[in-house]
Amino acid sequence: KAEEEAAVAAPLQAAGQENADATNYTEKVTPQPTPEDSGLDNNLMNGQSPNFVDQLTSMINENDIGHIAEVQESMLKRFEKTNAKLDSFNLVSASKLGELLNAYKRHTDLLTDAKKDLHSVFRRIRILKETLSKTYPEAFVGR
C-alpha cells in the first residue's frame, strides 16, 4: 500500500505539489451521457439508424395526430366555403360593375349632351342679344 501511495504521490510532487496528500487525490471526470440517458439505443450511436424512425414515431401521440388531422379537415372545409363565397361575391361584383359602368357611360353621355345643348343655347342668346342691341341701341344704353 505504501508503494501505491508513493507511485501516486511522485507525479504530484513532480508537478510542484509537494504537500499533496496521495490519499485525497481524486480525478475529476465529467460523466459522459450514455445512450440510455438520451433515450436512443446503441444502433443510433454506432451510426446504424434502422430504429431511428421507429423511435421518432413512438414519441408521437396518435390522439394528438388525429386531433390535428380533424382540425386541419375542418379548416379546409371552412376555407373551401369561404373561397366559394368569395367566388360568388366576385361574380356578383363583376356583373354589378358591368351594369354600373353602362349606367355611368349613359350618364356621362347625357351630361356631355346637356353641356353641348347649354353652349348652343347660350351662344344663341348671345347672338340674339347682339342683334337686339344693334337693332334697339336705346334699350341697351344703361346695361
Side-chain angles (χ1 to χ4, degrees):
K1 182 148 182 142
E3 291 175 6
E4 292 176 342
E5 288 178 8
V8 171
L12 290 175
Q13 289 175 355
Q17 299 178 356
E18 294 87 25
N19 296 331
D21 187 12
T23 57
N24 292 335
Y25 176 74
T26 57
E27 183 176 336
K28 293 185 180 180
V29 178
T30 48
Q32 297 295 323
T34 62
E36 292 80 20
D37 293 340
S38 63
L40 300 176
D41 65 1
N42 288 332
N43 290 335
L44 189 61
M45 296 300 286
N46 293 333
Q48 301 170 354
S49 60
N51 293 328
F52 181 70
V53 175
D54 295 334
Q55 290 178 4
L56 282 179
T57 55
S58 69
M59 295 169 57
I60 298 172
N61 186 350
E62 294 297 324
N63 292 335
D64 290 343
I65 298 297
H67 178 69
I68 291 171
E70 290 173 7
V71 169
Q72 287 180 343
E73 287 176 12
S74 68
M75 291 302 294
L76 177 65
K77 289 177 185 176
R78 286 178 64 187
F79 288 142
E80 287 174 345
K81 287 179 183 177
T82 303
N83 198 22
K85 289 178 183 178
L86 287 173
D87 285 342
S88 66
F89 175 78
N90 284 338
L91 290 174
V92 170
S93 296
S95 67
K96 288 291 183 184
L97 179 64
E99 292 173 13
L100 292 175
L101 283 176
N102 289 336
Y104 182 76
K105 183 167 177 16
R106 284 193 317 269
H107 291 145
T108 304
D109 291 343
L110 179 66
L111 288 173
T112 305
D113 289 342
K115 183 179 178 183
K116 288 178 187 175
D117 291 343
L118 285 172
H119 281 294
S120 174
V121 167
F122 283 118
R123 186 174 46 84
R124 286 183 193 166
I125 289 173
R126 204 174 327 120
I127 291 172
L128 282 173
K129 194 174 180 182
E130 289 173 5
T131 305
L132 285 174
S133 69
K134 289 179 184 175
T135 307
Y136 303 104
E138 64 277 351
F140 290 97
V141 171
R143 295 182 182 186

